[in-house]
Amino acid sequence: DAAVEDSGGGRGGGKSRSTDVRPGSANPFIEALKARDRNVELAELSLHIAEIAQDQYGSLAAHPAEAGGGSEEEKAIAFKAALAKMQQLTTDVFGNYVIQKFFEFGSAEQRRILAEQLVGQVLSLSLHMYGCRVVQKALDSVPIEQQVLLIGELKGMVLACIEDQHGNHVIQKCIERLPTDRIGFIVDSFLGQTIRMAKHCYGCRVIQRLIEYCASAQISLLLDEALRSCLELATDQYGNYVVQHVMEHSSRPGDRQALMQIVRTNILSLSCHKYASNVIEKALGCGTSEERALLVQAIVGEPGEPSPPLLTMMRDKFGNYIVQRVIGISQGPQREALFAKLNEHMPALKKSNAYGRHIITALDRALAD
């Protein structure tokens, strides 16, 4: 994905607990729990559920699945104890893991009851570092009817969630877990906002999920906006990932071909750009053999062309990577024309900067193969 990872927990719904720290507990029961290597009855754990769940060590032992089982009665007691402290635990650095565990391993009825406790606070939890993990786990664990009830609280606040380092993960989870006919309000929130969101470090991720999971007909207006501004997006730090995703995943007839035409027309400027060169690499990777051949032709130029894009690209910081890729994929007469053109400029390449030497290495490797 496009953006840096953050504490919202990624698509899986939580980061490693090793990165969560809190000073050691002075709670006597937890210290005794550690000394006894967690060999404690569930009923006893349940009496101290809040203290245990909010301790890094104790939260490992606070769920029956982690504590070595227990009778159904003991599990029920532990669940009731956690439920009574759910609001406190849901936003706690360690306690949130305990609630996640009940969503994951609890009975269908327990999951239903837990999800009911989230009603009315889904938005605030989605914007919370630890609460967002619980919301994501709930969406993974409950039936569609409850999923729809929970995400309904995000209507009108979709863009605010997307722009939040924690909330964007919840929106992605909605797209991944719910039937696409239930997330129309998420799609609609992008109308007139696609370009701004595509250039946002979290917004670009959400657009990528929509392109992956929704039928092209459902997001046709979003795709239209992206295509109209594809050159602007291709040269953006985050927008280039959206252009790549449209190129690779859009099932709408003509989208990839339209992008290929634009890429071909602007091959030199895009190839020598830090971000847009990623789009060229994607085009070379996901195009048909005919489309790739046309791209290679645009780079190599026509026979006798005095200054084809290739000559600039092979000395460029970013363009040289495209040339290396083209050396690896070109075939037949195109390959011969490319190699001839490179050999023609071999003396200059040998005297040039490190980028030129990268080209020589790639060419030698291709010839050896």
Side-chain angles (χ1 to χ4, degrees):
D1 276 357
V4 294
E5 284 303 313
D6 57 69
S7 57
R11 286 207 245 164
K15 65 176 180 178
S16 167
R17 70 167 62 228
S18 63
T19 59
D20 292 329
V21 292
R22 175 188 282 165
S25 172
N27 185 290
F29 182 81
I30 294 174
E31 294 306 316
L33 183 67
K34 295 177 183 177
R36 292 160 65 182
D37 196 29
R38 289 197 283 156
N39 189 16
V40 177
E41 293 297 319
L42 265 176
E44 190 180 0
L45 284 176
S46 301
L47 296 174
H48 302 271
I49 191 76
E51 306 98 288
I52 294 169
Q54 290 176 281
D55 178 85
Q56 182 173 24
Y57 176 88
S59 63
L60 290 167
H63 187 275
E66 305 284 356
S71 68
E72 291 304 314
E73 183 180 358
E74 287 176 324
K75 290 178 183 178
I77 292 171
F79 173 75
K80 286 181 181 178
L83 186 64
K85 298 288 186 180
M86 183 172 172
Q87 187 167 0
Q88 180 182 347
L89 298 178
T90 298
T91 55
D92 181 75
V93 59
F94 301 122
N96 79 89
Y97 289 106
V98 175
I99 302 302
Q100 287 189 63
K101 288 295 182 183
F102 275 108
F103 267 119
E104 190 172 353
F105 296 107
S107 66
E109 176 65 9
Q110 287 174 341
R111 290 196 293 270
R112 182 190 67 77
I113 293 170
L114 287 175
E116 285 180 351
Q117 309 309 304
L118 301 179
V119 172
Q121 50 182 333
V122 175
L123 177 60
S124 61
L125 290 175
S126 295
L127 302 177
H128 190 277
M129 180 182 294
Y130 307 121
C132 75
R133 305 175 185 181
V134 174
V135 174
Q136 289 176 77
K137 186 61 75 172
L139 293 174
D140 277 333
S141 309
V142 301
I144 291 174
E145 295 73 25
Q146 275 200 306
Q147 289 178 330
V148 172
L149 178 66
L150 293 175
I151 70 167
E153 297 180 28
L154 303 179
K155 289 182 179 178
M157 297 298 292
V158 171
L159 295 186
C161 287
I162 291 173
E163 292 178 298
D164 182 76
Q165 64 175 323
H166 311 302
N168 81 88
H169 294 293
V170 173
I171 299 298
Q172 289 184 68
K173 183 65 72 173
C174 293
I175 296 166
E176 292 166 5
R177 298 300 299 184
L178 273 85
T180 53
D181 62 350
R182 302 300 186 100
I183 59 168
F185 72 97
I186 295 177
V187 177
D188 292 344
S189 69
F190 280 89
L191 294 179
Q193 300 292 325
T194 300
I195 306 310
R196 183 171 75 85
M197 286 289 101
K199 295 166 78 171
H200 189 277
C201 59
Y202 306 136
C204 69
R205 297 176 177 181
V206 176
I207 293 178
Q208 288 174 72
R209 298 295 86 72
L210 287 171
I211 294 170
E212 289 169 7
Y213 285 87
C214 295
S216 294
Q218 184 179 9
I219 57 170
S220 60
L221 294 178
L222 182 154
L223 292 170
D224 288 343
E225 284 188 52
L227 286 168
R228 280 196 297 270
S229 300
C230 63
L231 284 175
E232 178 185 348
L233 294 181
T235 55
D236 182 76
Q237 180 178 4
Y238 303 110
N240 78 88
Y241 293 101
V242 172
V243 176
Q244 291 182 59
H245 245 61
V246 173
M247 188 179 287
E248 185 172 13
H249 295 285
S250 176
S251 58
R252 195 170 64 164
D255 281 356
R256 191 187 72 249
Q257 293 86 338
L259 284 173
M260 289 289 181
Q261 175 61 43
I262 292 168
V263 162
R264 206 159 58 242
T265 305
N266 298 275
I267 194 74
L268 179 57
S269 61
L270 295 179
S271 294
C272 296
H273 190 278
K274 180 177 181 179
Y275 303 121
S277 56
N278 296 327
V279 175
I280 305 298
E281 286 212 54
K282 178 64 71 174
L284 289 169
C286 75
T288 64
S289 56
E290 292 80 8
E291 288 167 340
R292 284 199 299 270
L294 287 171
L295 286 174
V296 174
Q297 181 182 335
I299 291 169
V300 176
E302 298 297 332
E305 186 176 338
S307 301
L310 176 69
L311 299 188
T312 302
M313 289 167 60
M314 65 189 189
R315 296 185 184 90
D316 181 76
K317 182 177 182 180
F318 305 108
N320 84 90
Y321 288 105
I322 305 299
V323 176
Q324 291 179 57
R325 183 73 186 272
V326 168
I327 289 171
I329 67 168
S330 59
Q331 296 177 328
Q334 270 195 334
R335 179 183 170 97
E336 294 171 12
L338 171 64
F339 285 15
K341 188 85 73 172
L342 289 171
N343 280 317
E344 181 184 333
H345 295 275
M346 188 62 68
L349 281 173
K350 287 180 177 177
K351 294 177 183 176
S352 72
N353 55 24
Y355 310 128
R357 290 193 289 275
H358 291 327
I359 302 298
I360 296 172
T361 301
L363 186 59
D364 289 344
R365 190 183 306 119
L367 289 170
D369 293 342

